[in-house]
Amino acid sequence: MEERNGLSARSAVLSALLGSHPPRLSARHLVRIGALFGIAEGTVRVALSRMVAAGDLIQSERAYTLSERLIERQARQDESRDPHTKDWDGTWEVAVVTAERRAPVDRAALRNTMSALRLAELREGTWMRPANLVRRWPEIVAAQCTLIDGRPHADPTPLLWDLDGWAAEARRLERALDRSEGLAEGFLVSAAVLRHLLADPLLPRELLPADWPGGELRAQYDDFDSRYREVLHTHLKG
């Protein structure tokens, strides 16, 4: 069952835990969050049972914690709010798929990994991005790809990312943060901002438009989140 805004019980639980540090909340608190959106207690509890069975959550002492896989997602979410970058010298990272026989599950896992690493696919099996992020290559990439550092003769950024589209949505979310009223609306806007930040390619400034709104959205969200968390905490304890 979903409430009038289309938020399912599973989405409400997941968003609440992804935004909590540590990612652990009691069943009572998760039920109260569901109630913000008209989701019945029984519906929330059924969703919790299903998420435990699916390996999304770990239950202990009447509380629920994110599984290891989802804790990794939370880490990516946190990283998107405060990205670890380095000065860019013009080098691009290129990962070319060279493994010959790959099961569909391996192909899908690599695609998900590349997206999480903020690489974009120039053509099938060729992924690339500027070498301005501080991180390590996971084993799955080394197992399926040959890694190359290079410098394209022409800037491939327009072929890889829709920067105008990302910027337009970022500005819409900035306005939504300004207009947000109440716990339910704030919860939905917060989740939308975090999803959008995960989609930020985190390009070096040399490749971005002069009016790129990434930094502004992060600063505005940090201010919003600190205030919103205080109000939500009071509501949950009430």
Side-chain angles (χ1 to χ4, degrees), residues 169-201:
E169 177 64 8
R171 295 187 179 99
R172 186 193 71 79
L173 288 170
E174 288 178 357
R175 295 191 295 271
L177 286 170
D178 282 336
R179 297 193 305 263
S180 175
E181 295 182 357
L183 282 171
E185 185 177 359
F187 188 95
L188 293 173
V189 173
S190 178
V193 171
L194 291 173
R195 285 194 302 270
H196 196 56
L197 291 177
L198 279 170
D200 184 350

Side-chain angles (χ1 to χ4, degrees), residues 94-106:
V94 183
V96 181
V97 175
T98 51
E100 294 185 0
R101 297 181 179 178
R102 296 186 297 152
V105 66
D106 294 330

Side-chain angles (χ1 to χ4, degrees), residues 28-29 32-33 35-36 183 230-238:
R28 181 174 66 87
H29 288 165
R32 296 205 70 176
I33 288 173
L36 293 173
L183 282 171
E230 290 182 5
V231 177
L232 181 62
H233 180 75
T234 300
H235 170 76
L236 295 180
K237 294 296 184 183

